[in-house]
Amino acid sequence: MKRLFLFLLFLSVSMSINADEIDLTEFGKSYFSAWKATQTPNATKQDLEHYLSFLKDDIGHQHLPYAPDDSRLSDGKNSMRNGMSYYLGSHVDYSAELLQVVPSYNVVVITYSTKSSGIHPQTKEMMHQSYDTMEVLEIEDGKVSVIRKYSE
């Protein structure tokens, strides 16, 4: 009887552990696809909300040199929503290629290359950008808790 109890206990613990595990490689690919959709010329608020669904509410976001602080804030997701909404649909041309996804424990590192052209919403000037980026995504409870973005 003790063995049966121990077996059932072990089985239930192992099943709950497996239920919490996610395929970090697939997560990284899905995250990138959702983010990429927010950058296209025809990006919608639905695209933005889909991307934000990957993030914790108190997301921390560091993007050097523009946002050097990676502190998690209670309104982190809402702040990202407001910031990204301002630029939503401002690209007239956009392409991005996922180069690599490297999963490790509770972190996913993605690298990608982007090219874009668009009208800056504030200055109304045409901008052309091309850069390579590495994002380090810290994962907590199946969502991104901190983003550290490094671009050339």
Side-chain angles (χ1 to χ4, degrees):
M1 188 65 158
K2 279 185 177 179
R3 286 185 180 177
L4 178 60
F5 176 74
L6 287 174
F7 173 74
L8 291 174
L9 180 63
F10 171 77
L11 186 62
S12 68
V13 169
S14 66
M15 288 178 84
S16 67
I17 290 171
N18 288 336
D20 291 339
E21 290 179 13
I22 61 172
D23 181 333
L24 293 176
T25 300
E26 286 305 312
F27 182 89
K29 290 176 183 177
S30 296
Y31 168 91
F32 174 77
S33 292
W35 175 81
K36 180 179 173 181
T38 69
Q39 304 300 304
T40 62
N42 59 348
T44 65
K45 291 209 180 267
Q46 290 80 14
D47 293 324
L48 178 56
E49 289 305 317
H50 177 64
Y51 167 71
L52 293 172
S53 73
F54 285 82
L55 311 180
K56 304 266 302 172
D57 289 339
D58 64 343
I59 184 81
H61 184 253
Q62 178 184 52
H63 185 183
L64 296 172
Y66 313 107
D69 186 2
D70 66 353
S71 299
R72 292 175 69 177
L73 305 170
S74 60
D75 68 340
K77 186 190 282 192
N78 196 45
S79 292
M80 286 190 67
R81 178 182 289 111
N82 291 337
M84 291 177 75
S85 292
Y86 183 73
Y87 292 98
L88 196 63
S90 62
H91 289 133
V92 294
D93 186 40
Y94 181 81
S95 65
E97 178 185 3
L98 182 62
L99 303 174
Q100 190 173 26
V101 178
V102 180
S104 177
Y105 184 58
N106 69 335
V107 172
V108 178
V109 178
I110 62 172
T111 56
Y112 55 91
S113 178
T114 60
K115 292 181 184 177
S116 64
S117 298
I119 310 264
H120 191 281
Q122 188 174 24
T123 65
K124 306 299 183 210
E125 293 179 12
M126 178 60 88
M127 301 179 345
H128 301 282
Q129 298 177 328
S130 177
Y131 53 89
D132 293 328
T133 300
M134 176 176 69
E135 288 191 28
V136 179
L137 310 171
E138 292 183 18
I139 310 299
E140 180 182 291
D141 301 326
K143 294 197 178 235
V144 180
S145 59
V146 177
I147 302 168
R148 290 188 177 84
K149 187 178 287 199
Y150 307 92
S151 298
E152 288 186 44

